[in-house]
Amino acid sequence: MRYYITFLSTIFFTSICFGQQIEFTNMASVKPASTMKKMQQTEVLNLTRQKLGKHPSLQSFINNHSEDVYKVGDIVVLLNTIPRLRSYKLDAQKILLRSTGPASIETVDGKRVLIGLDTTKTDVVVYHFYCVNSSNTTQVGGLVTADIKDKEKAKAVIYDIVKGIKFKVQ
């Protein structure tokens, strides 16, 4: 009996440690840190009302995409994937993103990712990020928002997400 309980405990612990995998149809998947949890719609509505009440457009955007919202502690993450034309370039998106604040293209775990900080919001941190496959046909992106005090943690969440991205077609 003791071995049976040990075996079951090991399986349970292993499944928690490996975390969830988020599938995006036939385009990509993300295996984020095990601390990332999917939020229920009511939880999204309550959280955005409390934290983003001063930012109605951001609150509305997150609420309208509530099926794609996750959290890491108090950090809110919205993830999505979209097909892109081969002519799509992160450099062009970077120019657009610079209208709201600083933006840079970085390489994280061998993947190019555009990260932009929206400085138009003064009491919250809002990062936008876009990661495309090598053939520019699929993009995984989203936004990460947190209290200003968690700015560095929010950026670390982006790095963790990008590390966990697996494109099904390169």
Side-chain angles (χ1 to χ4, degrees):
M1 182 70 170
R2 179 192 295 173
Y3 297 110
Y4 181 71
I5 291 172
T6 303
F7 176 72
L8 288 177
S9 298
T10 303
I11 290 174
F12 179 73
F13 178 74
T14 303
S15 67
I16 289 174
C17 288
F18 286 118
Q20 64 189 354
Q21 182 156 319
I22 303 165
E23 290 289 330
F24 293 113
T25 61
N26 296 331
M27 295 188 279
S29 64
V30 177
K31 186 167 182 148
S34 60
T35 57
M36 183 179 270
K37 305 289 183 220
K38 185 169 180 60
M39 294 177 67
Q40 301 299 318
Q41 186 174 15
T42 55
E43 189 180 13
V44 172
L45 294 172
N46 289 336
L47 186 70
T48 57
R49 195 176 307 118
Q50 292 170 5
K51 292 196 175 264
L52 300 174
K54 296 178 192 172
H55 310 289
S57 60
L58 183 59
Q59 179 184 6
S60 175
F61 183 77
I62 292 174
N63 289 343
N64 289 333
H65 295 89
S66 62
E67 67 279 357
D68 302 317
V69 178
Y70 301 83
K71 69 178 179 175
V72 178
D74 287 337
I75 297 170
V76 177
V77 178
L78 186 136
L79 288 174
N80 64 22
T81 185
I82 59 172
R84 287 287 185 193
L85 297 174
R86 288 188 187 276
S87 59
Y88 173 78
K89 301 291 183 228
L90 283 178
D91 296 317
Q93 185 70 27
K94 179 180 171 184
I95 292 168
L96 294 173
L97 212 57
R98 280 194 172 157
S99 66
T100 60
S104 63
I105 297 175
E106 303 177 26
T107 301
V108 177
D109 203 37
K111 300 173 194 99
R112 289 186 69 214
V113 61
L114 169 59
I115 301 173
L117 175 62
D118 186 341
T119 56
T120 62
K121 317 284 189 259
T122 56
D123 58 338
V124 295
V125 173
V126 180
Y127 282 106
H128 298 268
F129 68 96
Y130 308 93
C131 183
V132 293
N133 62 350
S134 59
S135 61
N136 287 327
T137 58
T138 303
Q139 171 185 295
V140 174
L143 64 86
V144 175
T145 184
D147 290 331
I148 196 79
K149 68 179 174 42
D150 292 327
K151 181 178 179 180
E152 294 305 313
K153 287 181 187 177
K155 194 164 186 182
V157 167
I158 294 171
Y159 292 143
D160 180 60
I161 291 168
V162 172
K163 288 177 185 175
I165 294 173
K166 298 282 187 252
F167 290 106
K168 296 188 178 168
V169 174
Q170 286 295 327

